[in-house]
């Protein structure tokens, strides 16, 4: 064991970096579960090789080097996570079909508390939230793995070019070149901006309150008034996605009408508001239906992504397994 890091405090010191490392690996991999696996692998590797840590860099930098190598190894298969709109064109509701794709296809949601460290500076906190938005993380997946790492380290985490070069065992010129190419690629598919939402201002909270009232009441007139004109609706693991008032409302009054009389419980995901969507249970109460991630632009709702694999998402977000007949969390049996 290194004199610089003793056995007594090593576990504690490694755990101090878990959340920020998880955020880094999530941006790299696009999967909450793969990110947690990558971080666990990173910490195990760090523990096993602590004698090789010579203190020439900080423990944090050394952990990022290990985490980067873990992520690059995981990405060698060439798979990248995506949203439905990255794979298909918008479908008119009249032609809508539900085609499911495997779990490894999809960009996954993540709880803010697992990837966003506590940051006092409002501007830095806003940047951190912006960097885990679904649209931004999806855009990162278009980059080759090393360019992805360079852009995250330089633009999101504000590392110096020399620090990134040392981490990647390359030159400053190579880092700057990779960053330029990454910026160029992102510019071709630049994710649209969404309203900052932490904390929610009064108008944003009113918008979300109106959305809950419209959805739970299944009032399509009220819902339409809240939607941006080119709002999108998607439902992973299905590759179908819809754009615009008419198709979204048409879906909700057709196949989506099974969602009548649902209940929404507020939460947060990927730096934006989200809701746990519960469906009426014929036996009474409400059961999990979807994790609904909401994006807003210009004071209106611009994106609704309903992640339907609730057996994975609700435990990850510590959401109740069911609601009682009044819409409150039901006591555990």
């Amino acid at each position: 064991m290194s004199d610089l890091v003793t056995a007594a405090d090593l576990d504690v010191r490694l755990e101090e970096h878990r959340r920020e490392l998880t955020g880094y690996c999530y941006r790299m991999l696009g999967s909450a579960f793969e990110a947690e696996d990558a971080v666990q692998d990173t910490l195990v590797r760090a523990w096993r090789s602590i004698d090789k840590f010579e203190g020439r860099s900080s423990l944090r930098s050394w952990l990022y080097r290990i985490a980067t190598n873990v992520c690059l190894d995981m990405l060698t298969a060439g798979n990248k996570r995506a949203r439905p709109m990255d794979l298909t064109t918008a479908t008119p509701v009249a032609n809508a079909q539900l085609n499911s794709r495997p779990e490894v296809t999809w960009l996954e949601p993540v709880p803010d508390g697992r990837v966003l460290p506590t940051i006092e500076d409002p501007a830095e906190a806003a940047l951190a939230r912006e960097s885990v938005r679904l649209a931004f993380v999806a855009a990162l997946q278009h980059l080759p793995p090393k360019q992805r790492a360079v852009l995250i380290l330089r633009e999101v985490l504000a590392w110096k070019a020399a620090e990134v070069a040392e981490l990647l065992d390359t030159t400053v010129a190579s880092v700057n070149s990779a960053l330029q190419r990454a910026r160029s690629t992102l510019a071709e598919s630049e994710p649209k901006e969404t309203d900052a939402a932490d904390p929610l201002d009064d108008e944003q909270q009113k918008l979300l309150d109106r959305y809950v009232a419209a959805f739970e009441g299944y009032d399509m007139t009220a819902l339409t008034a809240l939607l941006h004109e080119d709002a999108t609706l998607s439902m992973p693991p299905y590759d179908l996605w819809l754009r615009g008032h008419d198709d979204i409302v048409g879906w909700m009054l057709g196949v989506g009408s099974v969602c009548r009389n649902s209940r929404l419980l507020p939460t947060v995901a990927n730096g934006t508001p989200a809701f746990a969507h519960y469906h009426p249970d014929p036996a009474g109460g409400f059961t999990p239906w979807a994790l609904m991630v909401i994006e807003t632009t210009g004071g209106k709702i611009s994106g609704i992504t309903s992640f339907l694999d609730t057996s994975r998402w609700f435990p990850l977000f510590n959401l109740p397994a069911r609601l009682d007949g009044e819409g409150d969390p039901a006591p555990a049996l």
Side-chain angles (χ1 to χ4, degrees):
M1 187 70 64
S2 168
D3 292 337
L4 296 172
V5 182
T6 65
D9 69 0
L10 181 57
D11 280 335
V12 173
R13 293 187 63 186
L14 292 178
E15 282 298 321
E16 288 174 351
H17 298 280
R18 182 180 289 274
R19 185 184 294 187
E20 65 169 313
L21 288 171
T22 304
Y24 174 61
C25 293
Y26 173 72
R27 296 177 184 100
M28 285 288 292
L29 302 170
S31 164
F33 294 105
E34 287 184 358
E36 292 193 346
D37 288 345
V39 171
Q40 189 60 33
D41 191 4
T42 296
L43 299 183
V44 169
R45 291 190 192 189
W47 175 268
R48 289 175 176 172
S49 59
I50 191 63
D51 289 337
K52 298 178 183 178
F53 175 57
E54 300 175 350
R56 286 194 297 251
S57 62
S58 68
L59 178 64
R60 178 174 181 261
S61 297
W62 186 61
L63 289 172
Y64 268 92
R65 175 191 287 266
I66 299 172
T68 300
N69 288 331
V70 170
C71 289
L72 293 178
D73 287 344
M74 294 174 72
L75 291 167
T76 53
N79 58 305
K80 59 182 181 181
R81 301 277 176 162
R83 298 180 304 161
M85 49 280 294
D86 299 318
L87 303 176
T88 64
T89 57
T91 304
V93 69
N95 302 328
Q97 295 182 351
L98 293 176
N99 176 45
S100 179
R101 298 203 189 191
E103 175 272 322
V104 295
T105 305
W106 302 114
L107 180 69
E108 296 180 349
V110 70
D112 286 11
R114 298 210 177 204
V115 295
L116 294 179
T118 302
I119 300 174
E120 297 295 333
D121 182 83
E124 291 183 9
L127 175 61
R129 290 192 301 274
E130 181 72 13
S131 71
V132 294
R133 283 196 306 117
L134 288 174
F136 182 78
V137 178
L140 288 175
Q141 307 306 300
H142 293 285
L143 301 175
K146 285 193 176 180
Q147 286 185 29
R148 201 180 306 176
V150 168
L151 186 131
I152 295 168
L153 291 165
R154 292 281 286 120
E155 303 269 281
V156 176
L157 301 178
W159 283 41
K160 296 177 180 178
E163 294 172 325
V164 178
E166 182 179 0
L167 182 147
L168 295 174
D169 289 324
T170 188
T171 64
V172 169
S174 178
V175 167
N176 289 336
S177 177
L179 179 59
Q180 184 175 0
R181 294 196 303 274
R183 286 171 173 168
S184 178
T185 300
L186 284 190
E188 295 174 1
S189 57
E190 188 172 2
K192 62 184 179 182
E193 294 185 1
T194 57
D195 296 335
D198 186 18
L200 294 169
D201 63 29
D202 289 344
E203 291 304 313
Q204 289 171 324
Q205 187 60 62
K206 289 177 182 177
L207 174 66
L208 294 176
D209 290 345
R210 291 167 62 200
Y211 176 76
V212 171
F215 191 91
E216 292 187 345
Y218 231 67
D219 183 341
M220 293 299 107
T221 300
L223 182 64
T224 298
L226 305 177
L227 295 176
H228 199 276
E229 61 183 8
D230 63 349
T232 62
L233 171 66
S234 59
M235 297 158 284
Y238 300 114
D239 58 14
L240 169 74
W241 66 284
L242 306 162
R243 186 197 297 276
H245 298 164
D246 292 344
D247 283 329
I248 291 175
V249 170
W251 174 265
M252 296 186 72
L253 291 176
V255 176
S257 62
V258 294
C259 293
R260 287 182 184 273
N261 302 314
S262 293
R263 294 291 181 268
L264 301 182
L265 191 68
T267 183
V268 288
N270 293 82
T272 60
F275 294 99
H277 175 187
Y278 292 85
H279 191 265
D281 185 342
F286 301 85
T287 55
W289 184 260
L291 177 71
M292 183 185 290
V293 181
I294 303 294
E295 293 182 283
T296 64
T297 304
K300 290 198 171 186
I301 291 171
S302 56
I304 304 168
T305 305
S306 288
F307 293 93
L308 300 178
D309 192 355
T310 57
S311 64
R312 303 181 80 221
W313 308 128
F314 277 45
L316 181 67
F317 282 76
N318 294 319
L319 293 166
R322 61 180 293 112
L323 303 181
D324 64 20
E326 301 300 317
D328 297 317
L333 297 179

